[in-house]
Amino acid sequence: MKQLIRCAKTRRGDAFVKKSARRLAASLVLISALVPATAFAQVSSLKYTTSWIGNTFGFGDGKWVQLDVEAMAVGQDGTIYTNAPWDESGSEISAYKAGSKVAYAGQTHGWGNTGGDAIAVNATYLYAAVSLGNQNGTLVGSGYPPNGSTWFGITRRSVANIAQGAPFTGGIGNLPNPAKNSLLLLNTVPNGTDAGVRGLAATNTELYVANTYTNQIQVFDANTMAPVRAWGVPSPGRILIDADGSLWVVQGLKATTGPTVNHYSATGTLLSGAITLPHGAVPVDLAIAPSGQLLIADGGRSQQILVYNKTTSGGAQAATGMGAQGGIFAATPGMPGNWRFNGMTGIGFDKSGNFYVAQNGFGPRAFGSGETGEGTVLESYNWWTKALNWRLQGLLFVDGAAIDPASPNDVFSGSKHFKLNYAAGPGQEWSYAGFTLNRFRYPDDPAFHTTRNVRGQPLVRRINGARYLYTQDMYSHYLSIYRFNASTDGEVAIPSGLLSQNPIPGTWPVGQPTYGEWMWRDQSGDGAVQATEIQSNKATGNSVYNGYWWVDDAANVWLATAGSGIREMPLQGIDSVGNPIYQYSTAKVFPMPQPFTRIARISYDSSSDTMYISGYTSTAPYVSANWKSIGRVLARYNNWSSGSPSLQYVIPLAFDPTRNPPVFPVSLAHAGNYVFAAEGVTAKLDIYDARTGQEVGVLAPGATVGNTSGWIDTQMGISATVLPSGEYAILAEEDARAKVLMYRWTP
């Protein structure tokens, strides 16, 4: 199964930009012809290690931290239960204890199932918000909703075995599996409607449900699941049961003025003494401290735990904020650490006074959004001493990673900075050093307005010694540029520029053209997009489709179009703010090189003036069903920029979509003397000698990661670096279990 967001993706059209261009030499010097596949029949066995970055667990132990947590409940014994609409490997509902993963529910993924945004637990049962669809009408019968509809409700599981449904009279759903008849149906809605439950709370006798869609608090018998009572509350969210049985409710989730926290009796009477929230505070979850104080997790700029002393009138009075003011953006912005929260989605206590915090780097998802957060962080603290008990991390999803060529101990994903210690054992090399995305200071960051609301696939480049981050989305529509200023922004990557092949759908940014490609440079230095900072490519007036971005080591920007050749935009220097300067007027255009009929990927080595191109030829034609592929052949051209480039070789790539599983490469990387082509479904990395085109061998996931990887599913899903020791580090997207694979190989 692929993540929900991917269900909406469509293949882009096949119209390409038309440009006038200087011609390459009339004929290319062929050093070697197309090398037949039989020449590579003998492939040597390679010695390498498989490691990973970004997840506490590698899966060699059968564990992984899920990629997102939207809600958390804490059992009295210190087991924390989590829920999210999606985890790529089916761990939407999971259980963690004492710094380890102890279970996951299953039957919340595939066959129409997804997780949800709320969860609760009592001594006997786990209750979790879920949805159930029919996969476009392919699932029929009483266990699934009618065609065109989706069910939203609560799955009940046994605490003793959360993988097993706890059926009840009137329970429905999932007839073929262990969750059979354990769904409490609340809302039947047309497909595409978000009617998910946003709050749950349970005692041993009653289950309280925030039915956000119907503007109700509904109460059910916790054992029979029969309805007991209900009352109206505007768009309710999280529910907290106090020691006296009264309820604290986050409500107004859909209100234009923002959510509030109100106090109700167990029967629905609104009690006096409503909570006064600080200006800008966004309540996202509630808990009662061992001292009896009311805690509110603030998802606003403070990113703190707001601590309230309860009053005799039934309300609460603010006492203080716990944790760093500004969370992860306090002091050195973006630097992780104890009590430096980032996108809290759940808080709670066990009976021993241990405090638990769930974070996803973003906060609870918006209604109707497929947002999966910016990575999971689960933390446990001793409430009395404030000492950290343990921390778990699952930080990456649809993310590539790249090593800084000038500082090989630094590796960046789209929104994370990691430090590497190559002397450590597999999976222990990495440490989380920085969160580079600041949604509060830079809301105009293109990451929030383009594909998946993440930066995605990174390249790290140095200009005059300064570090810059270039990222492209999973489809290579957009190339975003970021600069760093440690003195003002710490670890945060400051939005610096954006190159777009087409207008971005929607209203952002104001000033973009209605047609054709365009770019933005942050000339004001504020990280915000002004219309006067946008430059359109009026030379062509055309849009670019199926283009692929590449930034060479000298920070020149290249764009490969599928059918109209390759364009280079040389770096024109750095402006007074620190932004790289690019101009359409200085672009150099290279027409389609022989023997290609369609280009899919490029990698240009500026130090040797060598261009690597993958794609299709008349004898190895384009296959539209495999539009994501890098193509069927790989070519090397020497003296590319000389005006008379020479073709050294054209070699076939592994390409057989008829096999099971299908074989076709989706990502390309070059480093030193080798070229790496990543197969999409098998996730294998085919290695070729860059000097000769000879196939060298294959890298595949080892035992340390359970001999398993998810699909490599992005256009720039791998990167490669030669370390000072001569060892190669190859980083590969691994969506299945919220990490990036790191292969370490010495030729």
Side-chain angles (χ1 to χ4, degrees):
M1 296 295 294
K2 298 182 181 179
Q3 70 269 34
L4 294 174
I5 297 167
R6 293 182 193 170
C7 295
K9 67 189 176 186
T10 57
R11 184 170 65 89
R12 288 171 286 162
D14 291 332
F16 309 108
V17 62
K18 306 297 184 182
K19 298 180 190 261
S20 60
R22 63 181 177 84
R23 293 290 179 181
L24 294 177
S27 62
L28 294 166
V29 179
L30 300 181
I31 295 178
S32 68
L34 181 66
V35 181
T38 53
F40 297 152
Q42 300 298 321
V43 179
S44 61
S45 175
L46 305 180
K47 293 183 179 180
Y48 62 95
T49 61
T50 309
S51 187
W52 73 91
I53 296 170
N55 202 296
T56 300
F57 308 113
F59 195 64
D61 52 7
K63 302 174 185 177
W64 72 99
V65 178
Q66 66 199 87
L67 62 92
D68 181 27
V69 170
E70 295 288 336
M72 179 185 71
V74 182
Q76 289 295 293
D77 66 347
T79 302
I80 63 171
Y81 301 90
T82 57
N83 193 7
W86 188 261
D87 178 75
E88 190 79 358
S89 289
S91 189
E92 288 82 3
I93 300 172
S94 299
Y96 303 85
K97 185 177 182 181
S100 185
K101 185 172 186 175
V102 294
Y104 70 99
Q107 292 84 53
T108 58
H109 188 91
W111 291 98
N113 292 278
T114 68
D117 302 275
I119 195 164
V121 65
N122 63 19
T124 307
Y125 297 115
L126 173 71
Y127 309 88
V130 295
S131 69
L132 180 60
N134 55 38
Q135 292 192 190
N136 297 318
T138 60
L139 302 174
V140 297
S142 61
Y144 300 97
N147 193 23
S149 301
T150 302
W151 285 341
F152 286 87
I154 310 299
T155 182
R156 189 175 76 167
R157 307 299 178 95
S158 167
V159 168
N161 180 8
I162 66 172
Q164 184 70 44
F168 51 90
T169 301
I172 62 172
N174 289 296
L175 297 183
N177 66 47
K180 176 181 178 181
N181 292 333
S182 65
L183 176 69
L184 173 67
L185 176 60
L186 297 173
N187 303 313
T188 301
V189 297
N191 289 344
T193 303
D194 186 346
V197 169
R198 295 302 179 103
L200 289 170
T203 68
N204 287 333
T205 58
E206 291 189 323
L207 171 66
Y208 294 84
V209 178
N211 194 332
T212 317
Y213 180 71
T214 61
N215 297 301
Q216 286 181 302
I217 299 292
Q218 296 174 268
V219 186
F220 298 87
D221 185 290
N223 297 298
T224 68
M225 301 298 281
V228 176
R229 59 187 176 277
W231 66 91
V233 174
S235 53
R238 299 300 165 81
I239 304 171
L240 171 67
I241 304 172
D242 209 336
D244 62 1
S246 64
L247 306 179
W248 298 93
V249 178
V250 177
Q251 64 184 61
L253 296 186
K254 297 182 179 181
T256 56
T257 55
T260 60
V261 177
N262 288 67
H263 198 190
Y264 293 87
S265 73
T267 56
T269 301
L270 181 62
L271 302 177
S272 61
I275 295 294
T276 300
L277 294 168
H279 177 72
V282 180
V284 296
D285 202 14
L286 311 164
I288 298 295
S291 57
Q293 294 166 304
L294 173 67
L295 307 186
I296 300 177
D298 181 10
R301 282 181 174 269
S302 89
Q303 293 292 294
Q304 288 183 299
I305 308 297
L306 306 178
V307 183
Y308 288 78
N309 294 316
K310 287 182 286 186
T311 65
T312 56
S313 65
Q317 183 177 11
T320 186
M322 289 199 62
Q325 174 72 34
I328 200 170
F329 304 112
T332 303
M335 182 181 71
N338 295 349
W339 296 92
R340 293 173 62 84
F341 302 126
N342 184 18
M344 290 178 285
T345 57
I347 57 174
F349 288 89
D350 65 20
K351 66 181 179 181
S352 300
N354 294 304
F355 178 56
Y356 300 87
V357 186
Q359 305 152 76
N360 72 356
F362 199 86
R365 70 180 182 91
F367 288 95
S369 168
E371 175 66 51
T372 54
E374 288 285 345
T376 295
V377 177
L378 302 173
E379 294 177 325
S380 172
Y381 295 93
N382 183 296
W383 180 253
W384 308 112
T385 68
K386 304 301 184 288
L388 178 71
N389 293 325
W390 51 262
R391 177 181 291 121
L392 297 176
Q393 297 167 324
L395 297 172
L396 303 174
F397 180 57
V398 196
D399 256 329
I403 291 171
D404 183 342
S407 181
N409 294 97
D410 292 282
V411 61
F412 289 81
S413 71
S415 63
K416 313 295 187 310
H417 174 202
F418 300 99
K419 287 286 187 180
L420 295 181
N421 173 12
Y422 294 100
Q428 305 303 308
E429 297 103 327
W430 68 275
S431 60
Y432 184 23
F435 183 69
T436 64
L437 189 67
N438 190 333
R439 59 194 178 278
F440 298 110
R441 183 165 183 175
Y442 300 114
D444 257 3
D445 190 319
F448 302 125
H449 306 278
T450 54
T451 311
R452 282 200 65 252
N453 296 329
V454 296
R455 292 186 184 144
Q457 322 311 311
L459 290 166
V460 185
R461 297 293 182 254
R462 295 282 182 146
I463 305 174
N464 299 330
R467 177 188 286 154
Y468 288 83
L469 180 69
Y470 293 76
T471 69
Q472 59 175 305
D473 63 290
M474 65 185 298
Y475 308 113
S476 197
H477 291 156
Y478 317 106
L479 182 71
S480 300
I481 307 170
Y482 300 87
R483 60 186 175 88
F484 293 88
N485 187 334
S487 63
T488 61
D489 287 78
E491 289 282 344
V492 171
I494 305 166
S496 177
L498 172 68
L499 289 86
S500 180
Q501 296 178 28
N502 288 284
I504 296 172
T507 59
W508 184 94
V510 174
Q512 71 170 330
T514 58
Y515 185 77
E517 64 173 328
W518 58 276
M519 73 170 81
W520 162 69
R521 176 161 53 90
D522 183 32
Q523 298 171 46
S524 64
D526 60 1
V529 180
Q530 281 88 42
T532 55
E533 298 174 333
I534 291 175
Q535 175 188 162
S536 298
N537 187 4
K538 298 179 181 179
T540 64
N542 286 328
S543 293
V544 179
Y545 292 90
N546 290 330
Y548 177 76
W549 298 103
W550 175 253
V551 184
D552 66 32
D553 290 341
N556 304 306
V557 171
W558 298 76
L559 178 64
T561 65
S564 299
I566 299 169
R567 183 185 68 201
E568 178 192 8
M569 297 181 68
L571 176 67
Q572 300 298 298
I574 300 296
D575 68 16
S576 60
V577 175
N579 305 304
I581 301 172
Y582 301 98
Q583 300 287 344
Y584 290 117
S585 60
T586 60
K588 303 175 183 178
V589 180
F590 302 83
M592 181 72 69
Q594 292 294 325
F596 284 96
T597 56
R598 185 183 181 97
I599 297 173
R601 305 288 189 276
I602 61 172
S603 180
Y604 176 70
D605 182 353
S606 60
S607 65
S608 62
D609 194 23
T610 304
M611 176 67 80
Y612 299 90
I613 300 177
S614 68
Y616 303 89
T617 68
S618 59
T619 56
Y622 174 61
V623 180
S624 61
N626 299 104
W627 58 270
K628 190 184 296 183
S629 176
I630 70 172
R632 302 174 66 176
V633 300
L634 170 70
R636 169 177 169 155
Y637 298 85
N638 299 321
N639 304 313
W640 174 260
S641 298
S642 67
S644 299
S646 58
L647 176 61
Q648 180 164 335
Y649 56 74
V650 181
I651 60 171
L653 296 169
F655 190 92
D656 187 355
T658 65
R659 289 177 56 182
N660 186 20
V663 174
F664 55 90
V666 296
S667 295
L668 183 74
H670 163 256
N673 293 326
Y674 299 92
V675 177
F676 305 85
E679 299 177 12
V681 178
T682 68
K684 294 178 180 179
L685 272 60
D686 304 313
I687 307 176
Y688 304 90
D689 191 309
R691 298 159 293 188
T692 65
Q694 180 73 33
E695 187 173 4
V696 175
V698 175
L699 303 177
T704 54
V705 295
N707 301 304
T708 301
S709 171
W711 293 13
I712 297 176
D713 206 23
T714 62
Q715 296 204 6
M716 195 172 69
I718 62 171
S719 68
T721 304
V722 185
L723 303 177
S725 64
E727 182 180 47
Y728 283 69
I730 306 97
L731 307 180
E733 172 195 13
E734 208 290 84
D735 296 339
R737 292 175 179 88
K739 62 183 184 291
V740 159
L741 294 184
M742 179 166 66
Y743 297 100
R744 297 177 60 180
W745 169 58
T746 301

